[in-house]
Amino acid sequence: MTREQPPVRIDPLSEAAARRHELTRAKAVQALRELDRAGAPVTFAAVAQAAGISRSWLYTQPDISGQIRRLRTKADGVGSAAIPAGQRATDASLRARLTAALGRNRQLADENARLRRQLARALGDQRSARTRSGNDP
C-alpha cells in the first residue's frame, strides 16, 4: 500500500520574491527600451535611475547587462545613440540610397565622358581652323 504524497505547496515568500524579481526585470527592460528609443545614453546608471532599481542588481542580470553593454558599445563606436531607434536607417533604406547614388555616379560618368568627347572635337576643330588659315605656330 503506497501513500499519496500531499501536493507540494509553494512557499508564499518565494512566490512574492519571484513576482518582485519579474516586476524589477520588466522595469529594467522598459527603461532600457525607452532610453534607446529616445536616443539617450544607455548606461547602467541611466537604466537604474530610469527604472528605479539598483545598479548592482542590473550587474547580476546577464542578459540585461549584456544588452546595456552592447548598446553602450554601439553608441561609442558609431555614435548612433544620438539617433532614436525609430529614426535609424533600415538596411532596406540604406540599400535604396546606395542604389540611387550608384545610378547618379553612372549618369555623371557618362556625362563627363560626353563632355570630354565634345571638348576633344572642339579643340580638333579649332586646330584645323588654325592650320587652314595659316595661323598655326
Side-chain angles (χ1 to χ4, degrees), residues 19-21 40 50 81 84 105 110 112 123:
R19 278 195 307 272
R20 192 170 56 249
H21 176 77
N105 267 356
D110 292 345
N112 196 1
L123 289 173

Side-chain angles (χ1 to χ4, degrees), residues 78-102:
V78 186
S80 63
I83 302 170
Q87 295 176 9
R88 292 186 194 138
T90 63
D91 286 345
S93 69
L94 290 174
R95 279 192 202 91
R97 288 175 60 192
L98 178 61
T99 301
L102 290 172

Side-chain angles (χ1 to χ4, degrees), residues 45-114:
V47 173
Q49 184 178 7
I53 59 178
S54 73
R55 277 188 308 169
S56 60
W57 183 86
L58 284 173
Y59 286 110
T60 66
Q61 306 304 305
D63 57 331
I64 296 174
S65 63
Q67 193 168 7
I68 292 170
R69 285 185 181 95
R70 183 181 57 79
L71 289 171
R72 186 174 57 191
T73 302
K74 183 172 76 170
D76 290 344
V78 186
S80 63
I83 302 170
Q87 295 176 9
R88 292 186 194 138
T90 63
D91 286 345
S93 69
L94 290 174
R95 279 192 202 91
R97 288 175 60 192
L98 178 61
T99 301
L102 290 172
R104 180 69 177 139
N105 267 356
R106 242 179 273 114
Q107 287 175 340
L108 292 172
D110 292 345
E111 182 180 2
N112 196 1
R114 182 182 54 79

Side-chain angles (χ1 to χ4, degrees), residues 13-62:
L13 288 177
S14 296
E15 284 181 5
R19 278 195 307 272
R20 192 170 56 249
H21 176 77
E22 288 307 314
L23 178 63
T24 305
R25 284 185 63 76
K27 285 188 209 174
V29 169
Q30 182 64 30
L32 185 63
R33 287 181 182 153
E34 287 174 8
L35 288 170
D36 185 39
R37 214 175 287 125
V42 178
T43 63
F44 283 93
V47 173
Q49 184 178 7
I53 59 178
S54 73
R55 277 188 308 169
S56 60
W57 183 86
L58 284 173
Y59 286 110
T60 66
Q61 306 304 305

